[in-house]
Amino acid sequence: MRILIIKDANGCLCMNSGDYDLKDGRIFFIPEEGLVRLEGEIGSGYWVNFSSALYSEFLLQNLDPLAKNLFLNLSFRDLEGNALKKAFSLMEQLKKDIEANKDVKFLGQYLSLFLGFTAGFDGYLAALTLDELQQTLRFRAILENFYKREKSIVFYAEGMGMSPKKLNSFLDRVLGKSLFVLIKGRVMREAEELLLHSDYTVDEIAVMLGFQQTSNFNNAFKRYKGISVSQFANLG
């Protein structure tokens, strides 16, 4: 998959599905398939290429059904004003993190936040300041690395350089959820992936996700999904 972010350009982007104007502030979401030819000139902008594995990180964080189709066909979104400034600031930071050889999971979270913001799937992101977006990214990256084994608010607060009270306030204001709910949601999304797309047994999945007993995992999953682990696994 590829993204083309335009700050200053003229001409058009040509694909086998049609021609599209290179409009200032336009962000193209380009599928792997399809011929792309540039007829014009880009004065300022970015090309971003990323793997399907990184895109999977985005899908784990964005439950909007339309997110799965973002790169099915070429699509675009036009940004302006503060939204465009934030998009370019995020991309500048992403470049620095790539050059610094940051962890792939971190880059995956960065891409998830960037796509959620620019494609409009995470509506709450549009109202955040750049600093809040960066803080959200930092929290997501920490959560992604430790959600299976760390449940303490103190642990995440230390990672964010905040007091537990301030982190709770931040999560409630920015994400509208408590740490407990965010961890539970991430664990259950991972459980769904493993149950449908891996060969691990239920016992093995329970251990991988930090449950001391399989029965605890089964009970938590049923409360979350409304159906048992075995019923969900049979859906695949």
Side-chain angles (χ1 to χ4, degrees), residues 16-198:
N16 49 13
S17 59
D19 299 343
Y20 305 84
D21 291 336
L22 296 174
K23 182 181 176 181
D24 297 355
R26 179 163 287 178
I27 298 182
F28 288 97
F29 306 98
I30 305 170
E32 290 178 317
E33 296 76 18
L35 299 175
V36 177
R37 186 176 75 260
L38 189 64
E39 291 189 355
E41 183 178 350
I42 298 178
S44 178
Y46 294 105
W47 278 101
V48 181
N49 296 278
F50 59 94
S51 67
S52 56
L54 286 183
Y55 187 52
S56 295
E57 292 284 342
F58 165 66
L59 294 179
L60 282 173
Q61 296 295 324
N62 293 268
L63 302 181
D64 189 324
L66 295 177
K68 294 182 178 179
N69 298 324
L70 182 59
F71 289 90
L72 189 61
N73 299 297
L74 183 140
S75 59
F76 60 83
R77 187 163 187 250
D78 293 325
L79 299 178
E80 58 184 18
N82 287 332
L84 185 60
K85 289 180 181 178
K86 284 190 277 189
F88 270 90
S89 294
L90 288 172
M91 193 49 55
E92 286 285 353
Q93 186 60 48
L94 178 58
K95 276 183 59 182
K96 294 177 182 177
D97 289 331
I98 291 174
E99 291 169 358
N101 295 316
K102 283 290 183 72
D103 181 83
V104 172
K105 284 188 175 182
F106 178 84
L107 296 178
Q109 289 300 304
Y110 212 124
L111 182 65
S112 170
L113 181 138
F114 182 81
L115 289 175
F117 170 66
T118 57
F121 293 124
D122 285 342
Y124 71 90
L125 294 175
L128 302 185
T129 66
L130 183 59
D131 180 63
E132 288 171 333
L133 283 169
Q134 297 284 8
Q135 290 281 60
T136 300
L137 168 65
R138 181 175 177 80
F139 172 76
R140 282 187 178 183
I142 296 172
L143 181 68
E144 186 64 23
N145 276 289
F146 297 103
Y147 71 92
K148 295 178 183 177
R149 61 182 185 273
E150 293 289 350
K151 307 294 191 292
S152 166
I153 183 68
V154 173
F155 174 85
Y156 291 93
E158 289 178 350
M160 291 290 291
M162 300 178 177
S163 67
K165 183 178 179 179
K166 185 175 181 180
L167 177 58
N168 270 324
S169 176
F170 174 80
L171 295 177
D172 180 61
R173 177 171 53 83
V174 173
L175 300 179
K177 297 177 182 177
S178 67
L179 176 66
F180 173 79
V181 171
L182 290 165
I183 292 175
K184 181 180 178 180
R186 183 63 187 90
V187 168
M188 290 299 119
R189 287 198 303 274
E190 185 69 9
E192 292 176 23
E193 283 292 308
L194 293 172
L195 288 167
L196 293 179
H197 305 297
S198 80

